[in-house]
Amino acid sequence: MHIVVGITGGIAAYKAPELVRLLKKAGHEVRCAATEHALEFVTRVTLETVSGAPLYSDLFASGRTEHISLKDWGEMLVVAPATANIIGKVASGIADDALSTLLLAFSGKPVIMAPAMNCEMWAHPAVQRNIETLKGWGIRMVGPESGELACGVNGMGRMSEPETIAAAVLSTLHSPLSTPHSPLSAQKWLVTAGPTYERIDSVRFIGNYSSGKMGFALAEALANAGAEVELVTGPTHLNVTHQRINIRRVESAREMYAAATEVFPKCNGAILSAAVADYRPSECADHKLKKNGSEGMHLNLVQNPDILATLGDMKTPAQTLVGFALETDNEEANAQRKLEKKNLDYIVLNSLRDKGAGFGVDTNKVTIIGRDGSHKESPLLSKQEVAHLIINTVTS
Ligand code: C5P
């Protein structure tokens, strides 16, 4: 494997040569890219000697497209140490030196960062926000850990040891969670996300607790793998920043149905993760309904169209269709039945039994069942990691 090790200007940079040595010992080819400040802590000669390759540190030396050739060469990029500065730059899309430029060019392939900084800096809301942004894009964080810091205090911010970072790199290389090696460029995918709201009157609706996080993570992971994504989402506060995601915001199941059936014929595949209301009120009052004395109220509900089943009917043999299932009993048998009935290629069974899985939370635990009878069970993972696992499974 070709691994690029990026080094930024923190005291932990002195440990980077050891990380390079461990990765080479595991049989990988390594090239280094360093910021100007990193070279205050570790020398060019050291990095070139341990990697056995020229160091990339000057955006303007040796032609101006070195970041592109290194991006093409590298199969994974590991930044260790990752300072608050590089984390902030990537989160903001700034490319003003060799490493930050390489990081922005390195899309569709796995990136790992090992943050290292003073504990107050680590705790700063800007750093925490940037970390969340990067994680949302599928960048994996290793550490930091708690311990003695260069400034003499004890606290969170110590870079993980080179052995720990190397283990994370190797597990990502060998894990199904890593980004696909054949990016999905030239493909278009549809993703549905979030809840639907079914209007009762001008101020009330029937909805559910879906946050949209799983669908947004799927859209980001597909876009990071190179696909164009049409994200059709019900009401949610989430936003996307990836330029390859075209977001359409809808409210009701019928609006979601109209948008999804319109774009599906142009897509290579679709992942329907939205929690669509099965029923809607048969009538929607155009004013606020008034209380009617002490009498109860009856809502007459009618069935919504099943978007997934409709796409299953429309599907051509070249298209891939993935649905979600949330079952309370006979989970696997019911999911399998749904897969066949709705003509799906895969169904993702959400666990309701596990704490931390399902609606609203940041983590999930799933079983991916294939039409061919294949079963892949995940441990409890972040929704970003689950998204990578799903995409790697359904696009391989
Ligand atoms: O049949 P059930 O509602 O359990 O199926 C869940 C799957 O079907 C999810 O993928 C969900 O997004 C999709 N669905 C849909 N349209 C509906 C109901 C569910 O696309 N009206």
Side-chain angles (χ1 to χ4, degrees):
M1 281 277 182
H2 291 174
I3 303 171
V4 182
V5 174
I7 303 127
T8 62
I11 181 68
Y14 82 91
K15 296 183 181 175
E18 179 61 8
L19 172 64
V20 174
R21 200 185 64 78
L22 290 169
L23 296 175
K24 290 205 60 158
K25 206 170 140 198
H28 302 290
E29 273 188 62
V30 179
R31 291 192 192 170
C32 295
T35 62
E36 195 188 331
H37 290 164
L39 297 179
E40 299 284 334
F41 296 93
V42 59
T43 72
R44 170 181 295 276
V45 176
T46 310
L47 294 171
E48 291 191 339
T49 307
V50 287
S51 67
L55 174 73
Y56 174 52
S57 63
D58 184 350
L59 198 49
F60 298 108
S62 61
R64 294 184 184 184
T65 55
E66 182 73 16
H67 59 292
I68 302 298
S69 41
L70 197 52
K71 167 211 86 147
D72 289 341
W73 178 88
E75 289 164 278
M76 177 184 276
L77 174 52
V78 194
V79 184
T83 54
N85 187 43
I86 195 79
I87 290 165
K89 277 196 209 173
V90 178
S92 314
I94 294 172
D96 63 353
D97 65 5
L99 182 58
S100 53
T101 307
L102 174 64
L103 270 156
L104 288 204
F106 212 85
S107 75
K109 302 188 209 184
V111 176
I112 294 185
M113 286 191 173
M117 67 197 75
N118 161 271
C119 50
E120 309 287 351
M121 292 171 74
W122 173 251
H124 195 286
V127 173
Q128 287 307 310
R129 179 202 59 199
N130 292 338
I131 291 279
E132 286 312 311
T133 300
L134 298 192
K135 280 192 192 164
W137 295 340
I139 295 182
R140 182 170 173 193
M141 298 291 158
V142 181
E145 293 174 16
S146 189
E148 199 186 327
L149 304 176
C151 48
V153 299
N154 259 293
M156 185 62 97
R158 218 180 130 80
M159 187 177 85
S160 296
E161 290 303 324
E163 291 76 11
T164 311
I165 303 169
V169 170
L170 301 179
S171 77
T172 303
L173 283 176
H174 299 127
S175 131
L177 297 178
S178 62
T179 310
H181 293 298
S182 53
L184 304 175
S185 48
Q187 292 211 7
K188 190 191 256 260
W189 280 70
L190 161 69
V191 175
T192 67
T196 62
Y197 286 0
E198 309 299 328
R199 287 186 186 212
I200 298 170
D201 64 16
S202 58
V203 294
R204 303 184 181 94
F205 60 85
I206 299 173
N208 61 66
Y209 292 117
S210 169
S211 63
K213 285 179 181 168
M214 192 63 244
F216 274 62
L218 285 161
E220 297 271 351
L222 281 163
N224 283 334
E228 293 287 330
V229 182
E230 293 287 340
L231 173 62
V232 180
T233 180
T236 160
H237 298 301
L238 301 177
N239 279 310
V240 287
T241 48
H242 206 298
Q243 60 168 14
R244 279 195 291 271
I245 302 176
N246 179 35
I247 184 165
R248 298 183 188 211
R249 295 187 186 271
V250 297
E251 187 179 284
S252 66
R254 282 191 295 176
E255 287 168 12
M256 189 174 277
Y257 175 90
T261 50
E262 185 208 319
V263 297
F264 184 60
K266 299 171 216 147
C267 293
N268 297 82
I271 308 182
L272 271 55
S273 69
V276 186
D278 290 327
Y279 297 92
R280 67 176 184 277
S282 57
E283 282 170 44
C284 166
D286 58 7
H287 57 278
K288 185 181 169 207
L289 291 171
K290 291 254 181 298
K291 229 185 297 188
N292 185 8
S294 56
E295 299 244 317
M297 183 190 176
H298 294 281
L299 268 183
N300 189 33
L301 301 178
V302 294
Q303 227 172 52
N304 271 327
D306 190 317
I307 306 165
L308 187 58
T310 307
L311 300 194
D313 285 340
M314 291 166 70
K315 187 165 88 82
T316 66
Q319 288 177 304
T320 304
L321 184 58
V322 184
F324 271 67
L326 193 68
E327 302 287 341
T328 47
D329 44 36
N330 288 331
E331 295 146 312
E332 298 225 355
N334 282 337
Q336 185 83 44
R337 204 168 309 131
K338 200 170 287 179
L339 181 143
E340 279 153 31
K341 193 166 150 229
K342 300 195 187 186
N343 192 24
L344 312 182
D345 298 290
Y346 294 91
I347 191 150
V348 181
L349 179 58
N350 273 296
S351 168
L352 265 181
R353 297 207 181 123
D354 298 275
K355 214 168 156 245
F359 275 177
V361 291
D362 291 327
T363 47
N364 208 358
K365 188 167 187 279
V366 298
T367 305
I368 306 167
I369 303 170
R371 178 189 274 277
D372 56 359
S374 61
H375 268 61
K376 196 176 271 180
E377 230 173 280
S378 81
L380 190 66
L381 296 167
S382 73
K383 284 188 172 164
Q384 280 76 31
E385 288 174 311
V386 171
H388 279 117
L389 181 64
I390 293 170
I391 281 149
N392 280 358
T393 307
V394 307
T395 61
S396 59

